Amino acid sequence: MVEQNTHLLLDQCMSPHVAMAQRDHVRLDWRPPYRTLARVRPVAWTCACRATLYELCEGGGQAFIRRTVQLDGKPQIFETCRWSISEARLTWTALLSGRVR
């Protein structure tokens, strides 16, 4: 019954979920957040029903991925380095498919 309810819940999610990391996935360098861009906005994100939420953030011609781990009531936030928007979007696609983590 729990499996069936979980399946129904996941069917109702509006945002994508990150696939399991592939055995040969590339590890991203996650760093504490730092402010280098004046205006940043999330343009894509994963579903918040999981403990780890990812956001693709863009601003000022640059982009990065933000990872928020929602455990024990206090979220832990990390970010990748800044890339060009096109490179960040490729990395975002790789993240969703499990090729990077």
Side-chain angles (χ1 to χ4, degrees), residues 11-59:
D11 285 345
Q12 296 173 0
C13 293
M14 299 300 286
S15 299
H17 294 98
V18 176
M20 289 183 58
Q22 295 179 10
R23 189 168 13 116
D24 58 346
H25 71 277
V26 174
R27 292 186 177 270
L28 294 173
D29 182 22
W30 296 102
R31 304 168 181 185
Y34 51 95
R35 299 199 183 273
T36 57
L37 304 175
R39 290 184 169 186
V40 173
R41 64 185 173 95
V43 296
W45 48 87
T46 60
C47 188
C49 74
R50 303 274 172 95
T52 303
L53 170 72
Y54 296 92
E55 298 170 289
L56 173 60
C57 301
E58 296 180 0

